[in-house]
Amino acid sequence: MARPNHYRASDLFQRYDGNPILTPAQWPYPVNAVFNPAAARLGGETLLLCRVEDLRGFSHLTLARSRDGRTGWRIDPQPTLESSPEYREEHWGLEDPRITWLEEEGHFAVTYVSFSRGGPLVSLITTRDFQSFERVGPLLPPEDKDAALFPRRFKGRYALIHRPIIRGEAHVWISFSPDLKHWGDHRILIPVRPGWWDCHRVGLGPQPIETPEGWLILYHGVRLTASGSVYRIGLALLDLEEPWRLVRRSDQWVFGPREPYERIGDVSDVTFPSGALVDPATDELRVYYGAADTSVGLATAPFREVRAYLQTCPAPDPDPC
Ligand code: BMA
């Protein structure tokens, strides 16, 4: 096993002083929890498409907008996207979206979990303006979660990162499609690491972010402990043109539950990253995350430093088991 490097990876990201930035108390209608938001930039504003859990325990998605991505959130007065009987796969609600801008299609792709009677599965909705939406429908069968598209094709094919559970194992996978409808060439991309902080489950965080060195991936890793699961955040780098190749992976987690709003909530000890944006003017990487399945937090890091840190991370062990 690799020796620990003594760089304190947990110093890379800073929590925003005003955390949590979105809470159920701010919501314009009664809700139980607001968490795991997808992020996008549109018309000079930051958009967060939040998972909102209602008082029956079902989730829908509601949009919040802000000029600076930190304060002054304007929240849609009612659910932006909610399940309806027409979409049977959304029987128990919509959860955990991620947003990717598809340049070639000229629209945003919102991948999310539809909670069907047969289990959670990955579905796709497209939109240009976050006012009108088109449901494409399920992409892959249950049980599957934590999915996002890459913003462009690779040798003619779109690529999707997702997290099926197969034989009880929860690794991150990548799959390919010529038309965003038919998926194949499925491969394990980021496996769980037995014994490590991410031994039990791993899942994609926000949509992949392109850098000159490769695709930056933030992922959540879960360890089951005597008092429940702990959800922390790690980093990985994928090859720019062959994204099924995992080039680097952080040994250490870079962020984890520490503050009361991350440690105490509906599900304790959860930091669940799901939206990220890079501000080109300030070189700041902003990561939006669900805190204890109850509220939304913001953590920031100098983008340059995150990329430099990844270069110090080892190439992954080809046989982590
Ligand atoms: C995962 C997902 C997330 C949730 C997390 C912690 O399996 O369901 O929506 O935030 O568990 O409870």
Side-chain angles (χ1 to χ4, degrees), residues 8-9 15 20 44 102 124 152 222 237 240 254 266 276 279 293:
R8 274 181 58 98
R15 286 169 178 79
L102 299 182
L124 172 65
R152 60 174 169 85
V222 185
L237 192 71
L240 210 48
V254 295
D266 270 9
D279 185 341
D293 281 13

Side-chain angles (χ1 to χ4, degrees), residues 22-177:
L22 290 168
T23 67
Q26 280 162 267
W27 233 244
Y29 53 94
V31 301
N32 175 57
V34 179
F35 57 120
N36 301 358
R41 200 178 276 108
L42 183 64
E45 292 196 305
T46 296
L47 270 51
L48 292 185
L49 187 61
C50 301
R51 171 175 172 190
V52 178
E53 193 187 77
D54 68 22
L55 298 166
R56 302 169 303 166
F58 299 123
S59 292
H60 59 265
L61 309 180
T62 295
L63 207 60
R65 302 159 201 264
S66 154
R67 290 243 154 251
D68 65 4
R70 290 166 158 73
T71 57
W73 295 96
R74 297 175 342 269
I75 302 164
D76 276 6
Q78 57 228 359
T80 311
L81 284 165
E82 58 186 335
S83 61
S84 83
E86 236 180 296
Y87 308 107
R88 296 184 56 211
E89 72 278 7
E90 295 173 4
H91 185 73
W92 283 315
L94 293 75
E95 302 182 355
D96 301 355
R98 274 77 169 181
I99 300 172
T100 305
W101 169 252
L102 299 182
E103 185 66 42
E104 182 187 329
E105 315 284 335
H107 59 217
F108 293 96
V110 181
T111 40
Y112 62 101
V113 173
S114 22
F115 221 116
S116 76
R117 285 196 166 114
L121 60 100
V122 172
S123 290
L124 172 65
I125 285 178
T126 63
T127 182
R128 287 173 208 282
D129 52 12
F130 289 91
Q131 283 167 10
S132 60
F133 296 88
E134 195 176 318
R135 272 177 168 79
V136 178
L139 299 185
L140 290 162
E143 176 171 352
D144 209 344
K145 283 183 172 188
D146 301 321
L149 286 162
F150 286 79
R152 60 174 169 85
R153 294 176 190 256
F154 302 92
K155 298 193 176 84
R157 299 184 304 172
Y158 278 111
L160 180 80
I161 297 183
H162 57 118
R163 207 286 307 280
I165 295 193
I166 296 168
R167 294 184 319 201
E169 293 177 18
H171 312 293
V172 172
W173 289 63
I174 188 167
S175 302
F176 295 86
S177 170

